[in-house]
Amino acid sequence: METYTAMRAFADSWALLAMTLFFVAVVLFTLRPGARKAAERAAEIPLKED
């Protein structure tokens, strides 16, 4: 039971913080100024002919 308690405390504190930081980083990476051109190219991939 001691291992479960320790893992639960870790998940409630540091793991939540790490997931939040990862989420914020992904959002910032997606919304950066240079991402528009890459997103437009990716959106056109299905429309391109080989």
Side-chain angles (χ1 to χ4, degrees):
M1 191 69 166
E2 187 69 30
T3 304
Y4 173 78
T5 306
M7 294 300 284
R8 175 67 190 230
F10 175 75
D12 285 342
S13 58
W14 294 108
L16 180 61
L17 177 65
M19 287 188 292
T20 304
L21 291 175
F22 180 75
F23 176 77
V24 169
V26 168
V27 169
L28 291 176
F29 180 77
T30 304
L31 298 177
R32 73 187 193 284
R36 178 173 292 229
K37 184 183 263 187
E40 288 173 354
R41 281 184 297 182
E44 293 172 359
I45 289 173
L47 305 175
K48 291 184 179 179
E49 293 187 30
D50 291 335

